């Protein structure tokens, strides 16, 4: 696997767009998400840390997506390949993990659908941006 072929601008752009998508997603679904997660906004601690951690996590996801898509396309990522790998990775890892964890944590399927939809959007966006930016110029 060629770690030097990563398009760092694409990785950063993918993480930014995915993070902004997540912000919009959870703002739009904040009330149903709070209910599904059994959280009371009045007792929640206000901290920027979850936002920082989510951005760092999306940077890592974008980097790994660049490695996977690059390796699987022979170093020539495309928009379609990025979207396909985003979906496959979501289905294989995220959808399954959330489904299992939320059942053990005694959450309903509403939380799984909200969180799963978010991560599906994130991985599709990251894959699309990585594919669109293509391989590193250097």
């Amino acid at each position: 696997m060629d770690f030097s072929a990563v398009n760092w601008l694409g990785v950063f752009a993918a993480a930014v767009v995915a993070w902004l998508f997540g912000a919009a997603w959870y703002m739009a679904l904040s009330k149903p998400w709070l209910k599904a997660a059994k959280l009371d906004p009045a007792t929640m601690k206000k901290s920027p840390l979850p936002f920082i951690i989510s951005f760092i996590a999306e940077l890592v996801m974008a980097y790994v997506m660049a490695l996977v898509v690059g390796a699987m396309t022979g170093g020539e990522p495309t928009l379609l390949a990025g979207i396909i790998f985003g979906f496959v990775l979501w289905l294989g890892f995220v959808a399954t993990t959330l489904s299992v964890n939320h059942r053990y944590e005694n959450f309903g399927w509403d939380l799984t659908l909200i969180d799963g939809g978010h991560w599906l959007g994130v991985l599709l966006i990251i894959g699309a941006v990585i594919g669109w930016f293509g391989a590193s110029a250097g």
Side-chain angles (χ1 to χ4, degrees), residues 1 3 9 18 28 34 39 47 52 66 68 73 79 85 90 93 96 128:
M1 188 174 301
F3 292 91
L9 181 59
L34 286 166
L39 294 172
S47 170
I52 295 166
V68 169
T73 61
L79 179 68
F85 281 106
W90 172 83
F93 297 103
T96 54

Side-chain angles (χ1 to χ4, degrees), residues 63-76:
Y63 176 67
V64 170
M65 183 74 75
L67 292 175
V68 169
V69 174
M72 297 303 291
T73 61
E76 296 297 326

Side-chain angles (χ1 to χ4, degrees), residues 103-117:
R103 300 305 69 77
Y104 278 108
E105 296 165 345
N106 203 28
F107 289 115
W109 285 100
D110 50 351
L111 183 62
T112 306
L113 291 173
I114 293 168
D115 287 346

Side-chain angles (χ1 to χ4, degrees), residues 6-61:
V6 171
N7 187 324
W8 290 103
L9 181 59
V11 167
F12 186 75
V16 169
V17 176
W19 190 86
L20 291 171
F21 166 78
W25 180 268
Y26 283 110
M27 283 194 312
L29 296 171
S30 62
K31 288 182 182 171
W33 181 80
L34 286 166
K35 182 180 177 192
K38 303 174 186 171
L39 294 172
D40 179 4
T43 62
M44 292 173 63
K45 179 183 170 192
K46 308 287 189 269
S47 170
L49 192 57
F51 302 100
I52 295 166
I53 291 170
S54 66
F55 182 72
I56 292 169
E58 286 161 354
L59 273 172
V60 171
M61 287 180 191

